[in-house]
Amino acid sequence: MANRHLSRTIAMQSLFEWDFKGRQEDVAVIIKNNIEQFGPSLGDTEFVRQLAQGTIERLDEIDQVIVKTAPEWPIDQIDGVDHANLHLGIYELMFLKDVPPKVAINEAVELAKTYGGESSGKFLNGVLGTLYKQMFPEGEAEEAKK
């Protein structure tokens, strides 16, 4: 597993655990424990921290995006794993400018297929695809691919 993919996996697991535990536990401790358990040989752990903590810092903004891009899915009805993965994917797509948009979408969909339910990949692809189209209207979409 490539380092960035493993980093995204650990970040998603950390977000899920933090949310599952009622958002009461220190996320830095959760991240540290998950890196030790799932990625002890992971060289650069900063990307995991950046993803998880950045997502949490922008959670309100991200939830507003979910409400707009998936109006038929109330946030409290989205599966926990899909919710964590969706938060992570939106954060990466909107706020990490060094990650190409298509990579952020593809990684979120792959995580959804691996850890989510039967239709999780399609759900995430639909929501993130809608967001991508909103962020990069047709003329700008080609520019974003570069």
Side-chain angles (χ1 to χ4, degrees):
M1 188 180 299
N3 277 349
R4 283 233 161 171
H5 184 75
L6 178 58
S7 294
R8 287 179 179 95
T9 301
I10 294 170
M12 188 267 301
Q13 290 169 324
S14 298
L15 290 170
F16 173 79
E17 182 177 341
W18 175 75
D19 193 43
F20 185 79
K21 291 181 175 180
R23 301 179 177 186
Q24 299 300 313
E25 196 168 319
D26 183 0
V27 75
V29 172
I30 293 171
I31 294 166
K32 179 182 177 291
N33 291 339
N34 284 338
I35 289 171
E36 289 172 1
Q37 184 172 1
F38 302 112
S41 62
L42 187 64
D44 180 16
T45 59
E46 186 53 37
F47 189 57
V48 177
R49 289 179 181 84
Q50 178 185 20
L51 287 172
Q53 291 176 323
T55 298
I56 289 170
E57 288 169 7
R58 298 204 179 250
L59 212 51
D60 290 338
E61 286 176 80
I62 293 169
D63 279 340
Q64 291 306 310
V65 170
I66 295 170
V67 168
K68 291 176 185 171
T69 56
E72 64 281 354
W73 284 94
I75 289 179
D76 61 345
Q77 291 182 10
I78 298 173
D79 174 76
V81 172
D82 290 345
H83 197 202
N85 197 8
L86 193 54
H87 277 137
L88 184 63
I90 291 171
Y91 172 75
E92 198 166 359
L93 183 60
M94 290 183 66
F95 302 109
L96 290 188
K97 301 305 178 193
D98 64 327
V99 176
K102 296 286 184 168
V103 171
I105 293 169
N106 186 56
E107 286 289 331
V109 170
E110 288 304 313
L111 286 174
K113 288 177 181 178
T114 303
Y115 297 101
E118 188 175 311
S119 60
S120 295
K122 290 178 184 177
F123 172 64
L124 261 78
N125 193 46
V127 174
L128 295 175
T130 299
L131 176 58
Y132 175 79
K133 289 175 185 171
Q134 290 173 359
M135 290 174 62
F136 306 104
E138 283 188 42
E140 297 174 39
E142 288 304 313
E143 190 63 31
K145 289 180 184 177
K146 296 179 183 175

